[in-house]
Amino acid sequence: MPDTTTAASTAASTAIVRPHGAEHIAPDAHGRNFYAVDRQFQDLLSLYMDPALLRHMTPHFERLGELAGGRLDDLAMTADKHPPVLQPRDRFGRDEDWIDYHPSYREMEKIAFEEFGMHAMSHRAGVLGLAETAHPLVKYAITYLFVQAEFGLMCPVSVSDTSNFIIKRFGSPALKALLLDRLLSQDPATMLKGTQFMTEKAGGSDVGALETEAERIGTNDPEFRPDGVERWKLHGQKWFCSHADADVAVLLARPRGAAPGTRGLGMFALPRRLEDGRRNSYRIVRLKDKLGTRSMASGEIILDGAVAYLVGDVDKGFKQMMEQVNLSRLSHGVRAAAMMRRCLNEAMVVARSRRAFGKPIGEYPLLRRQLMKIMLPTEQALSMYAFSADAMGRANEGDRDAANLLRILTPVYKFRACRDNIPVASQALEVRGGLGYIEEWVTARLVRDAQIGTLWEGTSNINALDVVQRAVGKSGGHKALTASLKDRFERSDALPGQYKGLLGATLDRVERFVEAIAADPAQEKRCRLAAGALYHATTAALLAWEGATLGARGGDARRLLLSRLVIEHRLAPQDPLALSDSTWEQEAMDLLLQDAPVPLARAASLVG
């Protein structure tokens, strides 16, 4: 008889092993160097940054780009899944509340604070080997790379940075001596991390409605110290405190008997622990269960006679705090640019790797159009980073025109880039398909985290009102903006004359529109439209100048094509039911979705 056992074994060993299908799943952008793959970012740095500074910083950008695409990306995924936990009491029943963080979060803190000194680089020399304080182009470039991996920790980094700015700018010599060296330290043994606590139940955007009270500590109080630091006691509650366990919190409170509204507010620095090591008299009573930024602790705080140090003039607290708010708003714009870049990277990887009906999905017309809806706002936000940071650098050196320019750029950038981030994240999730909705992939977190940009440091409405009613209506900042943009592109020999005319006419039209909105209180309902128009006109002009300048150097002129797309799709009237096709736009899309640089002559022929 035949050996059926042996025959069955032989048949099994020679059977075709069918794949499980994993090779059909598109990869993601993890593992890439987010600096090395971002040619547009590199190009803009070459345009805006001093060459010697760029040479010095390039190894650091490469290092952070590698971390962001690798180790930092892994840590961010883990920290998001293991959010912080509040421990309200110790084992003896004492109210020694503290927050436990997952080790992945602590490792990310080391990268941000200790290795890259992100909180200190704007305020002292020596960080990353810089002989001077970091230029804003450097600081926000580091932010841009870091946030492509981790958004949540960027809040503690940013509020530490802005706390340092406030203490350095407005603090008395005695207060600086007490706090500043430790706030600017990269040594974990001595470092103090900062934050700001603004929101109360009675007032979020309406800061003047806050109810926290302050009483001055007199010479007979046990907490009085003869060191020149003016101490007060605070009573009240803060309702949404991000970086809830920071070492020093800058906040606003109303001295007892002071005027109502924002004019009666003072600014104070609240230490977590007093100089002798005792816990200050306030408690973290709850952590917020948030939609996004889950790696970072936001909580509710009760102040029960907590000792705080006066910062600056007691009757100018709100005005002083607004300088911090504007810094945070600019940071939010850059963070939105970073998240959109990650979305674009993810979408492009999927479009080129995922196959459906026999070919890569990136070859289908509908998907290609969807990719453009991700790419265009991503590149607009990147141009705004470079232009705004350049203006800040000049303003920091005393250029009043640049300071006026930055005044309008900041809320314009924050308003539109943060709003664009939300649909961009949703589009990137959809490109991946059902897996994009699964928390194992970064797209789900990008969608969740994108929402906060329209809330922190003022909602879209607040920022739009700031643009139109203050920056335009009171300061005339739109004229400085238009003049600065025209000065760039009109002097370019690489831009076609006809296109210069279109850019100029577009800027003039937007200028007239925003002036009309600012002049008529009944037009408040159109403030968001006006702020968006300023953003789109600004980015159209910047993209044109950048693309033409890079192309004239023999580089990639693709940004010139993006400029015209902004005008056509953001600022020009369109019939949504028209069936006519635009030949130039199809050619532009083909060029933009390829990796090859676009020659200037080709780009100019399509926009001229």
Side-chain angles (χ1 to χ4, degrees), residues 7 51 151 166 208 505 510 529 576 589:
F151 179 81
I166 287 172
V510 169
L529 182 61
M589 189 184 304

Side-chain angles (χ1 to χ4, degrees), residues 317-328:
F318 178 74
K319 183 178 180 180
Q320 294 169 172
M321 183 65 89
M322 281 307 297
E323 294 199 30
Q324 171 272 324
V325 168
N326 284 328
L327 283 174
S328 293

Side-chain angles (χ1 to χ4, degrees), residues 1-12:
M1 293 180 60
D3 188 343
T4 54
T5 302
T6 303
S9 300
T10 302

Side-chain angles (χ1 to χ4, degrees), residues 160-217:
S160 291
D161 170 42
T162 52
S163 296
N164 296 341
F165 167 83
I166 287 172
I167 301 299
K168 187 177 179 181
R169 183 173 179 85
F170 300 113
S172 66
L175 183 60
K176 291 178 185 178
L178 179 64
L179 296 178
L180 199 55
D181 284 347
R182 288 180 291 166
L183 284 169
L184 298 180
S185 174
Q186 291 173 257
D187 181 355
T190 59
M191 182 193 309
L192 297 178
K193 300 186 181 82
T195 190
Q196 288 89 52
F197 297 161
M198 295 279 286
T199 304
E200 298 188 10
K201 296 174 186 177
S205 297
D206 184 8
V207 178
L210 66 78
E211 299 173 332
T212 297
E213 290 188 328
E215 57 177 337
R216 192 192 307 266
I217 292 177

Side-chain angles (χ1 to χ4, degrees), residues 70-92:
R71 179 60 180 165
L72 188 58
D73 202 33
D74 286 331
L75 294 170
M77 184 69 76
T78 302
D80 182 70
K81 290 177 170 53
H82 298 86
V85 177
L86 175 65
Q87 304 294 347
R89 283 187 163 192
D90 69 8
R91 60 198 177 99
F92 295 100

Side-chain angles (χ1 to χ4, degrees), residues 138-462:
V138 169
K139 179 175 82 168
Y140 293 119
I142 295 291
T143 296
Y144 173 80
L145 290 169
F146 190 95
V147 171
Q148 289 183 54
E150 163 63 5
F151 179 81
L153 180 64
M154 198 58 225
C155 174
V157 170
S158 179
V159 290
S160 291
D161 170 42
T162 52
S163 296
N164 296 341
F165 167 83
I166 287 172
I167 301 299
K168 187 177 179 181
R169 183 173 179 85
F170 300 113
S172 66
L175 183 60
K176 291 178 185 178
L178 179 64
L179 296 178
L180 199 55
D181 284 347
R182 288 180 291 166
L183 284 169
L184 298 180
S185 174
Q186 291 173 257
D187 181 355
T190 59
M191 182 193 309
L192 297 178
K193 300 186 181 82
T195 190
Q196 288 89 52
F197 297 161
M198 295 279 286
T199 304
E200 298 188 10
K201 296 174 186 177
S205 297
D206 184 8
V207 178
L210 66 78
E211 299 173 332
T212 297
E213 290 188 328
E215 57 177 337
R216 192 192 307 266
I217 292 177
T219 56
N220 295 326
D221 193 293
E223 298 298 345
F224 177 80
R225 301 287 184 276
D227 57 0
V229 176
E230 188 171 328
R231 289 170 172 79
W232 294 60
K233 287 186 177 179
L234 306 183
H235 301 267
Q237 296 186 23
K238 294 296 180 179
W239 178 239
F240 201 108
C241 303
S242 292
H243 199 195
D245 60 341
D247 301 298
V248 179
V250 176
L251 48 77
L252 297 175
R254 193 180 312 280
R256 286 180 176 167
T262 57
R263 287 179 297 176
L265 298 176
M267 178 188 287
F268 302 89
L270 173 77
R272 180 99 169 116
R273 291 191 173 274
L274 303 177
E275 294 95 301
D276 59 9
R278 287 178 296 140
R279 273 289 309 279
N280 206 348
S281 298
Y282 73 87
R283 293 188 60 210
I284 305 169
V285 293
R286 188 168 70 138
L287 294 187
K288 302 288 194 182
D289 186 8
K290 297 171 294 180
L291 172 67
T293 65
R294 299 184 66 85
S295 64
M296 179 268 299
S298 299
E300 301 166 18
I301 288 177
I302 294 178
L303 303 162
D304 186 18
V307 175
Y309 314 126
L310 178 67
V311 182
D313 297 332
V314 71
D315 58 349
K316 295 182 180 178
F318 178 74
K319 183 178 180 180
Q320 294 169 172
M321 183 65 89
M322 281 307 297
E323 294 199 30
Q324 171 272 324
V325 168
N326 284 328
L327 283 174
S328 293
R329 285 176 175 174
L330 181 53
S331 176
H332 268 292
V334 178
R335 284 180 249 177
M339 293 177 71
M340 285 191 276
R341 176 65 63 187
R342 180 65 187 271
C343 289
L344 178 59
N345 287 345
E346 294 295 330
M348 293 300 294
V349 168
V350 175
R352 292 166 177 170
S353 304
R354 182 181 172 193
R355 299 181 65 84
F357 309 106
K359 61 181 180 180
I361 62 172
E363 295 182 12
Y364 289 99
L366 271 176
L367 197 283
R368 292 167 71 78
R369 189 171 183 83
Q370 189 170 354
L371 292 173
M372 293 306 305
K373 289 182 178 181
I374 299 172
M375 180 186 295
L376 188 60
T378 298
E379 301 300 354
Q380 286 180 271
L382 185 63
S383 290
M384 285 293 284
Y385 141 73
F387 188 54
S388 301
D390 178 70
M392 178 180 281
R394 290 184 284 115
N396 290 346
E397 295 174 356
D399 187 329
R400 294 181 63 86
D401 290 337
N404 192 30
L405 178 62
L406 186 65
R407 172 65 185 88
I408 192 168
L409 280 174
T410 298
V412 165
Y413 189 14
K414 199 271 186 185
F415 166 77
R416 188 68 257 172
C418 291
R419 290 188 62 77
D420 284 345
N421 192 15
I422 295 172
V424 163
S426 296
Q427 294 270 11
L429 181 148
E430 189 177 1
V431 170
R432 182 164 289 280
L435 285 180
Y437 198 68
I438 305 303
E439 293 286 354
E440 293 174 325
W441 300 85
V442 72
T443 42
R445 176 159 49 95
L446 290 169
V447 168
R448 289 188 282 107
D449 285 350
Q451 312 299 319
I452 197 64
T454 60
L455 304 175
W456 277 344
E457 311 305 347
T459 62
S460 298
N461 288 349
I462 293 297

Side-chain angles (χ1 to χ4, degrees), residues 562-583:
L562 292 164
S563 169
R564 185 173 173 188
L565 287 172
V566 172
I567 292 178
E568 294 286 342
H569 289 274
R570 300 290 185 265
L571 294 168
Q574 288 189 345
D575 179 358
L577 303 182
L579 294 177
S580 58
D581 289 327
S582 173
T583 303

